[in-house]
Amino acid sequence: MKSERKIFADYLVKKNLRETPQRGMILDAFLKIEEHTTAEQLYDIVKKRDNTIGQATVYRVLKLICDAGLAREVDFGDGVMRYEHCYNHPHHDHLVCRSCGKTVEVVDLVIEELQKRVAESFGFELTDHEMYLYGICGNCRHKK
Amino acid sequence: MKSERKIFADYLVKKNLRETPQRGMILDAFLKIEEHTTAEQLYDIVKKRDNTIGQATVYRVLKLICDAGLAREVDFGDGVMRYEHCYNHPHHDHLVCRSCGKTVEVVDLVIEELQKRVAESFGFELTDHEMYLYGICGNCRHKK
DNA sequence: TTGCTTCTGATAATCATTATCATTTATGCG
DNA sequence: CGCATAAATGATAATGATTATCAGAAGCAA
Ligand SMILES: [Mn+2]
Ligand SMILES: [Mn+2]
Ligand SMILES: [Zn+2]
Ligand SMILES: [Zn+2]
């Protein structure tokens, strides 16, 4: 938490951007949330502290947070972008229940290695990837 | 080609929907395209044959074609949905060049198997998945 | 202060997709 | 064949998340 603020401050300095109350408040609110969050949800939270804040600013700061390496976009394909923590949250993929929407963060090093190899076999140098596994969770299966 | 039309016709009958000139024309145009195509691109093609056709109809028929199992949505994350053939085109994932946009269709049975296992290890029954590998293709690498 | 630049919030614009609705077209029946 | 009913179409408006615009506020440098 301390170091995230430091990273963000350093990023602003490096980019010749200013540290403002809004930027600080939005960053703090984002860091407190452990779930995957939309700009709208973050806006609602920040508004409670300062109801003069504009949602355009939330979108703008969220972009800065991503650029600073503290957040990552997650796209579950429902038309709304979500954001998750990046710092001290190493790369992972997502397992999503088609029935209740529950998500689990997963990582499989063998898959990651094979992805690299597949890319290379076609002459590509892999830079990143997206993998979403969809299914029915145990809970939902037992209900039916 | 013949069998795709048959599948679509059967699907319409099963769902009590009518076979119309527009539906036939849009399906034919879609089947002729081998690339990943947007609704807009398909609309432009169909319009050349019948400039009275509406793009809402293209969207509607594209949805029918998907439901009939002849097309699949592909989301490269650029805000536009693309469609690809499904019939006689077994499941595959996509390798996309971040520089030139070139796409390669790939499939790795080991990865597919591991995906199933990862899901099961969390109590999920895997129904489907999305995997996009992003990188720099050989061409683009040599240019730089 | 005084300029100058950056930030912000309100608002309008964008853009792919969906919804609405009046009109057209197909179908089933007497 | 008319007529009633239902489905399909095309034009158009609406949607909704995100982005652009722009006038005013706030910070900074001299
Ligand atoms: Mn996550
Ligand atoms: Mn494909
Ligand atoms: Zn579930
Ligand atoms: Zn390339």
Side-chain angles (χ1 to χ4, degrees):
Chain A
M1 191 91 163
K2 256 291 147 33
S3 41
E4 277 106 320
R5 287 215 199 92
K6 181 69 166 50
I7 289 169
F8 192 62
D10 289 351
Y11 172 80
L12 293 178
V13 168
K14 196 180 66 185
K15 292 280 184 177
N16 286 316
L17 301 172
R18 294 174 185 165
E19 209 168 342
T20 67
Q22 290 92 337
R23 284 175 179 167
M25 190 183 307
I26 292 167
L27 175 66
D28 284 351
F30 173 71
L31 293 176
K32 281 213 191 78
I33 302 170
E34 282 303 327
E35 301 86 38
H36 304 121
T37 313
T38 67
E40 187 68 20
Q41 291 170 328
L42 188 56
Y43 174 54
D44 287 342
I45 289 169
V46 169
K47 215 169 24 178
K48 284 178 194 152
R49 275 209 198 159
D50 175 2
N51 70 339
T52 73
I53 212 151
Q55 64 179 333
T57 303
V58 174
Y59 276 98
R60 284 187 284 237
V61 176
L62 224 23
K63 192 155 289 174
L64 290 178
I65 295 174
C66 285
D67 289 346
L70 296 174
R72 194 165 73 103
E73 293 189 329
V74 185
D75 182 4
F76 290 148
D78 61 352
V80 195
M81 198 57 78
R82 282 157 221 278
Y83 297 85
E84 67 177 5
H85 294 182
C86 221
Y87 183 74
N88 272 349
H89 289 242
H91 165 73
H92 57 264
D93 296 294
H94 296 95
L95 181 53
V96 185
C97 176
R98 284 272 187 217
S99 173
C100 68
K102 176 183 167 193
T103 68
V104 180
E105 310 198 328
V106 301
V107 64
D108 185 311
L109 295 179
V110 182
I111 291 179
E112 304 273 325
E113 176 59 29
L114 288 173
Q115 287 170 332
K116 204 159 83 172
R117 271 197 228 158
V118 171
E120 279 164 7
S121 77
F122 285 96
F124 279 61
E125 189 170 321
L126 195 63
T127 57
D128 60 303
H129 70 264
E130 268 176 276
M131 186 174 79
Y132 295 95
L133 305 179
Y134 296 99
I136 308 292
C137 76
N139 259 353
C140 289
R141 214 134 21 80
H142 292 144
K143 278 178 194 159
K144 188 60 215 311
Chain B
M1 193 85 165
K2 255 291 149 30
S3 41
E4 278 106 319
R5 289 218 198 91
K6 182 67 166 48
I7 289 170
F8 191 63
D10 289 350
Y11 172 81
L12 293 178
V13 167
K14 194 180 66 184
K15 293 279 183 180
N16 285 317
L17 301 172
R18 295 173 184 166
E19 208 168 343
T20 68
Q22 290 92 337
R23 285 176 178 165
M25 193 182 307
I26 292 168
L27 175 66
D28 284 350
F30 173 72
L31 293 177
K32 282 213 190 77
I33 302 171
E34 281 304 327
E35 301 86 37
H36 304 122
T37 313
T38 68
E40 187 69 20
Q41 292 171 329
L42 188 56
Y43 174 55
D44 287 342
I45 290 168
V46 170
K47 215 168 26 176
K48 283 177 194 154
R49 284 226 183 141
D50 174 3
N51 69 338
T52 74
I53 211 150
Q55 63 180 334
T57 303
V58 174
Y59 276 98
R60 284 188 285 239
V61 175
L62 223 24
K63 192 154 291 174
L64 291 178
I65 295 174
C66 284
D67 289 346
L70 296 175
R72 192 166 74 104
E73 293 189 330
V74 184
D75 181 3
F76 290 147
D78 62 351
V80 196
M81 197 59 76
R82 281 156 221 280
Y83 298 85
E84 65 178 7
H85 295 182
C86 223
Y87 183 74
N88 271 349
H89 289 242
H91 165 73
H92 58 263
D93 296 294
H94 296 97
L95 180 54
V96 184
C97 177
R98 282 273 187 216
S99 172
C100 68
K102 175 185 168 191
T103 69
V104 180
E105 311 198 327
V106 301
V107 64
D108 184 313
L109 294 179
V110 182
I111 291 180
E112 304 273 326
E113 176 60 28
L114 288 173
Q115 287 171 332
K116 204 159 83 174
R117 273 197 225 160
V118 171
E120 279 164 6
S121 77
F122 286 96
F124 279 61
E125 190 171 322
L126 194 64
T127 58
D128 60 305
H129 70 264
E130 268 175 275
M131 186 173 81
Y132 295 96
L133 305 180
Y134 296 100
I136 308 293
C137 77
N139 259 354
C140 289
R141 216 139 16 81
H142 291 146
K143 277 177 195 162
K144 186 58 214 311

